Structure formats: C-alpha cells, structure tokens
Amino acid sequence: MSAQPDITAPAAETPAAETTSTGISAETELTVRTADAMREVGRRLAGLLRPGDLVLLTGELGAGKTTLTRGLGEGLGVRGAVTSPTFVIARVHPHLGGGPALVHVDAYRLAGGLDEMEDLDLDVSLPESVIVVEWGDGKVEELSEDRLHVVIHRAVGASAADAADVAHAAEDADDVRSVRVTGVGARWAGVDLSQLG
C-alpha cells in the first residue's frame, strides 16, 4: 500500500465565491496527517496573508493551533521562536525584513471578549501586522469585518486502512487533523484557499 500525502484536500473543493449573506467569501477543507504537514499549511497560509489580516484559530487542546502558527511565522519570516502565548496572552514577533509582524494571541483564559482584549491594543496593531488569535471565536470578530477562520479537528476513529503500517494505525490516527479554512468578508473574495492543500 502506498503512503498517503501528508496534506490532502477533498476532490470536491468548495470554490472561492463572492461574499454571501453569511459573509463567507472562500472556504476549503484539508486533511493534515503530521505535525510537519501542519507547519507546512502555516507556511502556505503565510503566502496568502498581508498586513491587516486577522486569523482566528479554533480547536481543542493539542489540535495543532500553535504548530500551524509556527509554520505561519516561518512563512512570514518573523523573528523569534513561535511558542504558545498562553501565560503571556500575546507575543509580538517582528519581521526580519520589511514585512508584517506576527501578533500571536491566546484568548483561552480571557472570558470578556473584545472588552477584555482591548488592553492588548490589537486594533492598533492590526493595520501593520498579521494577528493570529487562538481560541478567538466569539471574542475578537469585531476587530475586522474581514477575517480568516481556521478550525482544526482531530480525526477520531481513523481506519487502519488509512495507515501504511497497521501496527502504527492508532499512532497515525492521533496525528490526523481535519482543517477547515474559511475566509469571511470582501478581503477573501476570489482568494483560492485550495492552494493550502
């Protein structure tokens, strides 16, 4: 049995579309099989981002949000190791050249939504930075009408047929993630998110 690629997209890709009544402008779904592949999705995503972009990451603990953000930091060419900002709430990674800084926020412990986030001055940082907010759903959408939602789910109950080595099927299944990337707002209209796969 041949090995499966580390990143795959479904055959029937959701095409980039004009902004709809739901605000969705573009959408894609990927299957990501390894942590290295998750970093690669981040690197590819960096190629689509520009100053002023807001990215919301959603997924359970250990889903791969920070791993994706590491790849994003590598792709953007920022300084410093990208680590989880859980205890400091936010980290700023300046660009090594002339590109945008990466502002990496962990909103897990913040319950007050945008009011509580105001102290971080994200609205001031947004125009010249790429802001990534882990656990940001329902908390920071008001920062921008245009944003990218990335939802990461662990694949549960992956079949042994999906693994090249049946003895490692359970270990392999633990690494498999389903990643849905949804662009909201006019910024994402016409952007081909399928190039992430």
Side-chain angles (χ1 to χ4, degrees):
M1 180 185 307
S2 65
Q4 295 184 349
D6 288 339
I7 304 170
T8 56
E13 198 60 43
T14 305
E18 303 249 345
T19 302
T20 65
S21 61
T22 61
I24 295 174
S25 297
E27 191 168 66
T28 194
E29 188 162 340
L30 311 167
T31 300
V32 180
R33 299 187 184 287
T34 66
D36 286 341
M38 186 66 79
R39 284 175 78 149
E40 179 59 27
V41 171
R43 284 189 287 272
R44 292 177 186 180
L45 179 58
L48 299 176
L49 297 175
R50 60 186 186 206
D53 282 340
L54 174 64
V55 181
L56 306 180
L57 300 181
T58 301
E60 62 196 40
L61 288 170
K65 298 178 297 295
T66 300
T67 301
L68 184 138
T69 306
R70 280 187 191 111
L72 204 153
E74 292 166 6
L76 288 174
V78 300
R79 185 177 68 217
V82 174
T83 59
S84 178
T86 299
F87 298 105
V88 295
I89 309 300
R91 293 186 195 278
V92 178
H93 298 275
H95 194 274
L96 292 171
L102 170 63
V103 179
H104 184 198
V105 179
D106 187 326
Y108 182 73
R109 296 180 308 149
L110 302 178
L114 196 57
D115 292 337
E116 193 169 350
M117 300 287 279
E118 251 179 33
D119 291 339
L120 300 176
D121 289 332
L122 295 180
D123 55 334
V124 174
S125 301
L126 187 58
E128 68 272 354
S129 304
V130 170
I131 296 182
V132 175
V133 184
E134 296 188 24
W135 306 97
D137 271 351
K139 296 179 181 177
V140 297
E141 288 89 343
E142 295 173 28
L143 281 173
S144 178
E145 291 180 7
D146 300 312
R147 59 194 170 274
L148 201 61
H149 287 258
V150 179
V151 179
I152 305 170
H153 290 285
R154 283 184 166 165
V156 178
S159 70
D162 289 339
D165 182 354
V166 174
H168 294 99
E171 179 182 312
D172 291 345
D174 286 343
D175 286 343
V176 176
R177 305 291 194 263
S178 169
V179 180
R180 179 171 293 277
V181 182
T182 305
V184 176
R187 154 71 175 97
W188 296 100
V191 175
D192 182 13
L193 295 176
S194 67
Q195 61 187 298
L196 298 174

